[in-house]
Protein backbone atom coordinates (compact mmCIF):
# COMPACT_ATOMS: atom_id res chain seq x y z
CA UNK A 1 0.00 0.00 0.00
CA UNK A 2 1.37 3.43 -1.03
CA UNK A 3 4.53 1.96 -2.55
CA UNK A 4 7.23 4.63 -2.74
CA UNK A 5 5.46 6.89 -0.24
CA UNK A 6 6.87 7.94 3.10
CA UNK A 7 4.86 7.48 6.31
CA UNK A 8 5.63 9.93 9.10
CA UNK A 9 4.14 12.07 11.86
CA UNK A 10 4.38 15.85 11.74
CA UNK A 11 3.59 18.35 14.48
CA UNK A 12 1.41 21.25 13.33
CA UNK A 13 0.88 23.45 16.34
CA UNK A 14 -1.23 21.75 19.00
CA UNK A 15 -1.67 18.47 17.12
CA UNK A 16 0.45 15.82 15.47
CA UNK A 17 -0.75 14.44 12.13
CA UNK A 18 0.07 11.04 10.69
CA UNK A 19 0.98 11.70 7.06
CA UNK A 20 1.73 9.65 3.96
CA UNK A 21 3.47 11.58 1.16
CA UNK A 22 5.31 10.88 -2.05
CA UNK A 23 5.54 11.56 -5.77
CA UNK A 24 6.95 14.57 -7.55
CA UNK A 25 5.61 17.67 -9.21
CA UNK A 26 3.08 20.29 -8.13
CA UNK A 27 1.57 19.42 -4.72
CA UNK A 28 -1.92 18.10 -4.05
CA UNK A 29 -3.38 17.48 -0.61
CA UNK A 30 -5.92 14.63 -0.23
CA UNK A 31 -8.37 14.80 2.70
CA UNK A 32 -10.40 11.74 3.67
CA UNK A 33 -13.92 11.53 5.04
CA UNK A 34 -15.69 9.89 7.98
CA UNK A 35 -14.93 7.33 9.34
CA UNK A 36 -11.96 6.66 7.07
CA UNK A 37 -8.25 7.40 7.47
CA UNK A 38 -5.73 8.62 4.89
CA UNK A 39 -5.52 4.99 3.71
CA UNK A 40 -8.75 5.47 1.75
CA UNK A 41 -6.56 7.13 -0.92
CA UNK A 42 -4.19 4.16 -1.38
CA UNK A 43 -5.46 3.42 -4.90
CA UNK A 44 -5.74 7.05 -6.05
CA UNK A 45 -2.53 8.54 -4.65
CA UNK A 46 -0.11 6.40 -6.73
CA UNK A 47 -2.00 7.33 -9.89
CA UNK A 48 -1.44 11.02 -9.13
CA UNK A 49 2.14 10.67 -7.93
CA UNK A 50 3.72 10.52 -11.38
CA UNK A 51 2.78 14.15 -11.98
CA UNK A 52 2.25 15.50 -8.47
CA UNK A 53 3.63 15.45 -4.98
CA UNK A 54 0.78 13.84 -3.05
CA UNK A 55 0.17 14.45 0.67
CA UNK A 56 -2.38 12.33 2.56
CA UNK A 57 -2.84 13.09 6.28
CA UNK A 58 -5.16 11.65 8.88
CA UNK A 59 -7.23 14.68 9.88
CA UNK A 60 -7.13 15.70 13.53
CA UNK A 61 -9.34 13.33 15.50
CA UNK A 62 -9.11 10.60 12.85
CA UNK A 63 -6.86 7.59 12.34
CA UNK A 64 -3.66 7.94 14.34
CA UNK A 65 -3.51 11.74 14.41
CA UNK A 66 -3.99 13.61 17.66
CA UNK A 67 -7.48 13.41 19.15
CA UNK A 68 -8.05 16.70 21.00
CA UNK A 69 -10.66 16.91 23.74
CA UNK A 70 -13.98 16.04 22.06
CA UNK A 71 -15.65 19.43 22.20
CA UNK A 72 -16.90 21.09 19.01
CA UNK A 73 -14.47 24.02 19.22
CA UNK A 74 -11.52 21.63 18.90
CA UNK A 75 -12.93 19.98 15.80
CA UNK A 76 -14.11 22.82 13.60
CA UNK A 77 -13.26 22.70 9.94
CA UNK A 78 -11.38 25.96 10.48
CA UNK A 79 -9.11 24.25 13.02
CA UNK A 80 -8.61 21.25 10.72
CA UNK A 81 -7.88 23.53 7.77
CA UNK A 82 -5.29 25.36 9.86
CA UNK A 83 -3.61 22.02 10.58
CA UNK A 84 -3.50 21.25 6.87
CA UNK A 85 -2.05 24.63 5.95
CA UNK A 86 0.68 24.23 8.57
CA UNK A 87 1.36 20.69 7.33
CA UNK A 88 1.81 21.75 3.72
CA UNK A 89 4.05 24.64 4.67
CA UNK A 90 6.16 22.36 6.85
CA UNK A 91 6.69 20.20 3.75
CA UNK A 92 7.70 23.25 1.71
CA UNK A 93 4.44 23.80 -0.19
CA UNK A 94 3.16 27.37 -0.03
CA UNK A 95 0.58 26.92 -2.80
CA UNK A 96 -1.14 23.66 -3.62
CA UNK A 97 -4.28 21.87 -4.82
CA UNK A 98 -6.71 20.24 -2.38
CA UNK A 99 -9.10 17.32 -2.86
CA UNK A 100 -11.47 16.59 0.00
CA UNK A 101 -14.14 13.91 0.18
CA UNK A 102 -17.11 13.65 2.57
CA UNK A 103 -16.13 15.36 5.87
CA UNK A 104 -12.75 16.10 4.34
CA UNK A 105 -14.52 18.14 1.67
CA UNK A 106 -15.68 20.58 4.35
CA UNK A 107 -12.09 20.96 5.53
CA UNK A 108 -10.96 21.52 1.93
CA UNK A 109 -13.69 24.11 1.38
CA UNK A 110 -12.75 25.95 4.58
CA UNK A 111 -9.08 25.88 3.56
CA UNK A 112 -9.91 27.48 0.21
CA UNK A 113 -12.16 30.11 1.78
CA UNK A 114 -9.86 31.01 4.67
CA UNK A 115 -6.57 30.80 2.77
CA UNK A 116 -7.21 31.66 -0.89
CA UNK A 117 -3.55 32.55 -1.46
CA UNK A 118 -2.57 28.96 -0.59
CA UNK A 119 -5.09 26.95 -2.62
CA UNK A 120 -4.79 27.10 -6.40
CA UNK A 121 -7.22 24.28 -7.29
CA UNK A 122 -10.05 22.73 -5.26
CA UNK A 123 -11.71 19.34 -5.79
CA UNK A 124 -14.69 18.38 -3.64
CA UNK A 125 -16.24 14.92 -3.60
CA UNK A 126 -19.89 14.33 -2.65
CA UNK A 127 -20.12 17.76 -1.08
CA UNK A 128 -22.57 20.54 -0.38
CA UNK A 129 -21.77 23.19 2.25
CA UNK A 130 -23.08 22.25 5.69
CA UNK A 131 -25.17 25.41 5.92
CA UNK A 132 -26.83 24.67 2.59
CA UNK A 133 -27.86 21.22 3.81
CA UNK A 134 -29.28 22.62 7.03
CA UNK A 135 -31.01 25.61 5.47
CA UNK A 136 -32.73 23.25 3.02
CA UNK A 137 -33.47 20.53 5.56
CA UNK A 138 -36.55 18.51 4.63
CA UNK A 139 -38.10 15.36 6.06
CA UNK A 140 -36.38 13.41 3.25
CA UNK A 141 -32.96 14.82 4.17
CA UNK A 142 -33.58 14.04 7.84
CA UNK A 143 -34.64 10.49 6.96
CA UNK A 144 -31.59 9.78 4.79
CA UNK A 145 -28.97 11.76 6.76
CA UNK A 146 -30.38 11.12 10.23
CA UNK A 147 -26.88 10.37 11.55
CA UNK A 148 -26.02 14.10 11.48
CA UNK A 149 -28.65 14.74 14.12
CA UNK A 150 -28.04 11.57 16.11
CA UNK A 151 -24.31 12.27 16.27
CA UNK A 152 -25.09 15.71 17.71
CA UNK A 153 -26.70 14.19 20.81
CA UNK A 154 -24.58 13.87 23.96
CA UNK A 155 -23.25 10.48 25.05
CA UNK A 156 -25.71 8.17 23.26
CA UNK A 157 -23.86 7.96 19.91
CA UNK A 158 -20.59 6.99 21.62
CA UNK A 159 -22.33 4.24 23.56
CA UNK A 160 -24.13 2.90 20.50
CA UNK A 161 -21.06 2.89 18.24
CA UNK A 162 -18.56 1.53 20.75
CA UNK A 163 -20.84 -1.37 21.64
CA UNK A 164 -19.94 -2.88 18.23
CA UNK A 165 -17.94 -0.53 15.94
CA UNK A 166 -17.57 -3.08 13.13
CA UNK A 167 -21.32 -3.64 12.95
CA UNK A 168 -22.05 0.08 13.17
CA UNK A 169 -19.64 1.25 10.48
CA UNK A 170 -19.46 -1.82 8.24
CA UNK A 171 -16.79 -1.94 5.56
CA UNK A 172 -15.62 -4.55 3.09
CA UNK A 173 -11.92 -5.53 3.15
CA UNK A 174 -12.03 -6.63 -0.50
CA UNK A 175 -13.53 -3.34 -1.67
CA UNK A 176 -11.36 -1.20 0.63
CA UNK A 177 -8.15 -3.20 0.28
CA UNK A 178 -6.91 -5.43 3.10
CA UNK A 179 -4.34 -3.01 4.56
CA UNK A 180 -6.65 -0.01 4.34
CA UNK A 181 -9.42 -2.03 5.99
CA UNK A 182 -7.14 -3.01 8.89
CA UNK A 183 -6.13 0.64 9.36
CA UNK A 184 -9.79 1.67 9.36
CA UNK A 185 -10.73 -1.09 11.83
CA UNK A 186 -8.04 0.06 14.24
CA UNK A 187 -9.40 3.61 14.09
CA UNK A 188 -13.07 2.80 14.63
CA UNK A 189 -12.30 0.55 17.58
CA UNK A 190 -10.43 3.33 19.40
CA UNK A 191 -12.81 5.10 21.84
CA UNK A 192 -10.90 8.38 21.67
CA UNK A 193 -11.07 8.42 17.88
CA UNK A 194 -14.80 7.65 17.87
CA UNK A 195 -15.47 10.52 20.28
CA UNK A 196 -13.35 12.88 18.20
CA UNK A 197 -15.15 11.90 14.99
CA UNK A 198 -18.46 12.67 16.67
CA UNK A 199 -17.10 16.05 17.77
CA UNK A 200 -16.47 16.76 14.07
CA UNK A 201 -20.22 16.35 13.43
CA UNK A 202 -21.15 18.38 16.49
CA UNK A 203 -18.95 21.19 15.23
CA UNK A 204 -20.78 20.95 11.91
CA UNK A 205 -24.13 21.82 13.47
CA UNK A 206 -22.58 24.64 15.52
CA UNK A 207 -19.50 26.73 14.68
CA UNK A 208 -18.98 25.32 11.18
CA UNK A 209 -22.45 26.38 10.14
CA UNK A 210 -21.91 29.85 11.58
CA UNK A 211 -18.57 30.20 9.77
CA UNK A 212 -20.30 29.42 6.48
CA UNK A 213 -23.08 31.88 7.19
CA UNK A 214 -20.45 34.54 7.84
CA UNK A 215 -18.89 33.69 4.46
CA UNK A 216 -22.19 34.25 2.71
CA UNK A 217 -22.88 37.49 4.56
CA UNK A 218 -19.44 38.77 3.52
CA UNK A 219 -19.90 37.63 -0.08
CA UNK A 220 -16.91 35.31 0.21
CA UNK A 221 -16.59 32.67 -2.53
CA UNK A 222 -14.04 30.10 -3.65
CA UNK A 223 -11.61 32.12 -5.75
CA UNK A 224 -9.78 29.26 -7.48
CA UNK A 225 -11.23 26.79 -10.00
CA UNK A 226 -13.45 24.19 -8.30
CA UNK A 227 -14.16 20.66 -9.56
CA UNK A 228 -17.20 19.04 -7.98
CA UNK A 229 -17.25 15.23 -8.18
CA UNK A 230 -20.42 13.37 -7.25
CA UNK A 231 -20.95 9.62 -6.99
CA UNK A 232 -23.56 8.29 -9.39
CA UNK A 233 -24.88 5.78 -6.89
CA UNK A 234 -24.95 8.13 -3.89
CA UNK A 235 -27.95 10.34 -3.08
CA UNK A 236 -26.62 13.90 -3.28
CA UNK A 237 -28.17 14.75 -6.65
CA UNK A 238 -31.38 12.98 -5.69
CA UNK A 239 -31.70 15.32 -2.73
CA UNK A 240 -30.53 18.37 -4.70
CA UNK A 241 -31.38 18.32 -8.41
CA UNK A 242 -30.18 21.95 -8.43
CA UNK A 243 -26.79 21.01 -6.95
CA UNK A 244 -24.76 22.86 -9.59
CA UNK A 245 -26.83 26.02 -9.22
CA UNK A 246 -26.32 25.98 -5.46
CA UNK A 247 -22.57 25.66 -5.92
CA UNK A 248 -22.44 28.54 -8.38
CA UNK A 249 -23.31 30.76 -5.44
CA UNK A 250 -20.09 29.62 -3.76
CA UNK A 251 -17.63 29.37 -6.64
CA UNK A 252 -16.41 31.73 -9.33
CA UNK A 253 -15.26 28.88 -11.63
CA UNK A 254 -17.21 25.61 -11.25
CA UNK A 255 -16.59 22.37 -13.14
CA UNK A 256 -18.49 19.12 -12.48
CA UNK A 257 -18.11 15.41 -13.17
CA UNK A 258 -19.92 12.27 -12.06
CA UNK A 259 -18.04 9.20 -10.84
CA UNK A 260 -19.56 5.78 -11.53
CA UNK A 261 -19.39 4.57 -7.93
CA UNK A 262 -21.06 4.51 -4.58
CA UNK A 263 -20.17 7.02 -1.89
CA UNK A 264 -16.56 5.88 -1.33
CA UNK A 265 -15.37 6.90 -4.79
CA UNK A 266 -11.63 6.67 -4.07
CA UNK A 267 -11.98 3.01 -3.13
CA UNK A 268 -14.59 2.00 -5.72
CA UNK A 269 -13.51 3.91 -8.85
CA UNK A 270 -9.90 5.07 -8.31
CA UNK A 271 -8.95 5.17 -11.98
CA UNK A 272 -11.86 7.41 -12.91
CA UNK A 273 -11.29 9.64 -9.88
CA UNK A 274 -7.60 10.00 -10.69
CA UNK A 275 -8.30 10.69 -14.37
CA UNK A 276 -10.75 13.49 -13.53
CA UNK A 277 -8.38 15.04 -11.00
CA UNK A 278 -5.36 14.84 -13.30
CA UNK A 279 -7.28 16.44 -16.16
CA UNK A 280 -8.48 19.22 -13.88
CA UNK A 281 -5.05 19.88 -12.37
CA UNK A 282 -3.48 19.87 -15.82
CA UNK A 283 -5.97 22.38 -17.25
CA UNK A 284 -4.14 25.56 -16.38
Amino acid sequence: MFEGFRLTEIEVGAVRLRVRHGGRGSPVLLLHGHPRTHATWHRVAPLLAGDHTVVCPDLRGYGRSTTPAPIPENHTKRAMAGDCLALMRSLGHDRFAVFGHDRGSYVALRLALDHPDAVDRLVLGDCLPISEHLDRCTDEFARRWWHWFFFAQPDKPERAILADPAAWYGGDPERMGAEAWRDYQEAIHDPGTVRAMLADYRAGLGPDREHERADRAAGRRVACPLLLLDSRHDDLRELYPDLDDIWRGWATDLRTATIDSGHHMAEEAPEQVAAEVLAFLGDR
Side-chain angles (χ1 to χ4, degrees), residues 149-168:
F149 307 103
F150 178 59
F151 287 173
Q153 306 308 309
D155 186 47
K156 290 183 175 62
E158 289 91 329
R159 295 174 66 181
I161 293 169
L162 290 169
D164 192 344
W168 181 274

Side-chain angles (χ1 to χ4, degrees), residues 9 13-15 27-28 50 59 62 81 124 144 173 206 220 251-252 258 265-266 271 280-281:
E9 294 186 352
V15 302
V28 57
L59 294 167
Y62 285 81
L124 301 177
R144 294 192 187 200
R220 194 173 300 118
T252 58
T258 298
M265 59 174 65
E271 292 84 3
F280 176 63
L281 297 183

Side-chain angles (χ1 to χ4, degrees), residues 118-172:
V119 178
D120 61 7
R121 294 265 158 158
L122 178 64
V123 184
L124 301 177
D126 293 325
C127 181
L128 186 70
I130 292 169
S131 58
E132 298 286 1
H133 279 297
L134 296 176
D135 290 349
R136 288 169 166 75
C137 186
T138 63
D139 56 350
E140 183 65 12
F141 175 78
R143 183 182 70 81
R144 294 192 187 200
W145 292 43
W146 59 271
H147 61 284
W148 274 30
F149 307 103
F150 178 59
F151 287 173
Q153 306 308 309
D155 186 47
K156 290 183 175 62
E158 289 91 329
R159 295 174 66 181
I161 293 169
L162 290 169
D164 192 344
W168 181 274
Y169 282 122
D172 180 345

Side-chain angles (χ1 to χ4, degrees), residues 26-31 77 80-86 88-89 93-100 104-124 221-227 251-253 280-281 284:
S26 61
V28 57
L29 173 67
L30 305 182
L31 303 179
K77 307 311 154 296
M80 292 183 180
D83 296 341
C84 293
L85 181 67
M88 294 303 278
R89 287 182 172 167
H93 309 307
D94 292 326
R95 191 161 172 80
F96 48 89
V98 186
F99 177 8
S105 72
Y106 300 133
V107 181
L109 176 60
R110 177 51 48 203
L111 188 53
L113 289 169
D114 284 357
H115 307 285
D117 292 341
V119 178
D120 61 7
R121 294 265 158 158
L122 178 64
V123 184
L124 301 177
R221 304 169 77 195
V222 175
C224 66
L226 164 59
L227 172 63
T252 58
D253 181 353
F280 176 63
L281 297 183
R284 296 175 186 270

Side-chain angles (χ1 to χ4, degrees), residues 25-283:
S26 61
V28 57
L29 173 67
L30 305 182
L31 303 179
H32 63 84
H34 172 271
R36 299 305 205 245
T37 72
H38 80 277
T40 194
W41 300 109
H42 74 100
R43 293 176 177 137
V44 170
L47 299 176
L48 303 180
D51 299 295
H52 299 279
T53 299
V54 184
V55 181
C56 308
D58 289 345
L59 294 167
R60 72 159 61 190
Y62 285 81
R64 296 184 198 168
S65 289
T66 299
T67 54
I71 58 175
E73 291 73 16
N74 286 343
H75 296 268
T76 65
K77 307 311 154 296
R78 177 159 285 158
M80 292 183 180
D83 296 341
C84 293
L85 181 67
L87 168 64
M88 294 303 278
R89 287 182 172 167
S90 75
L91 293 172
H93 309 307
D94 292 326
R95 191 161 172 80
F96 48 89
V98 186
F99 177 8
H101 179 258
D102 187 79
R103 302 303 290 185
S105 72
Y106 300 133
V107 181
L109 176 60
R110 177 51 48 203
L111 188 53
L113 289 169
D114 284 357
H115 307 285
D117 292 341
V119 178
D120 61 7
R121 294 265 158 158
L122 178 64
V123 184
L124 301 177
D126 293 325
C127 181
L128 186 70
I130 292 169
S131 58
E132 298 286 1
H133 279 297
L134 296 176
D135 290 349
R136 288 169 166 75
C137 186
T138 63
D139 56 350
E140 183 65 12
F141 175 78
R143 183 182 70 81
R144 294 192 187 200
W145 292 43
W146 59 271
H147 61 284
W148 274 30
F149 307 103
F150 178 59
F151 287 173
Q153 306 308 309
D155 186 47
K156 290 183 175 62
E158 289 91 329
R159 295 174 66 181
I161 293 169
L162 290 169
D164 192 344
W168 181 274
Y169 282 122
D172 180 345
E174 183 175 350
R175 177 171 289 183
M176 295 177 68
E179 289 184 70
W181 183 80
R182 285 194 294 271
D183 195 66
Y184 154 78
Q185 288 293 315
E186 180 180 327
I188 65 174
H189 281 84
D190 181 81
T193 300
V194 169
R195 293 187 182 97
M197 292 192 296
L198 292 170
D200 171 2
Y201 279 84
R202 290 163 182 159
L205 299 191
D208 291 336
R209 183 187 194 183
E210 296 310 312
H211 294 159
E212 289 183 4
R213 285 180 164 175
D215 294 328
R216 298 315 305 270
R220 194 173 300 118
R221 304 169 77 195
V222 175
C224 66
L226 164 59
L227 172 63
L228 177 66
L229 300 179
D230 67 278
S231 302
R232 186 182 305 280
H233 306 294
D234 203 9
D235 62 358
L236 194 62
R237 285 195 182 274
E238 292 178 13
L239 286 168
Y240 307 104
D242 58 343
L243 182 66
D244 295 355
D245 290 336
I246 298 171
W247 268 110
R248 288 188 184 97
W250 286 85
T252 58
D253 181 353
L254 177 68
R255 332 278 178 86
T256 65
T258 298
I259 303 299
D260 189 18
S261 74
H263 180 63
H264 296 289
M265 59 174 65
E267 297 167 3
E268 298 175 33
E271 292 84 3
Q272 187 183 359
V273 169
E276 293 288 355
V277 172
L278 286 170
F280 176 63
L281 297 183
D283 179 23

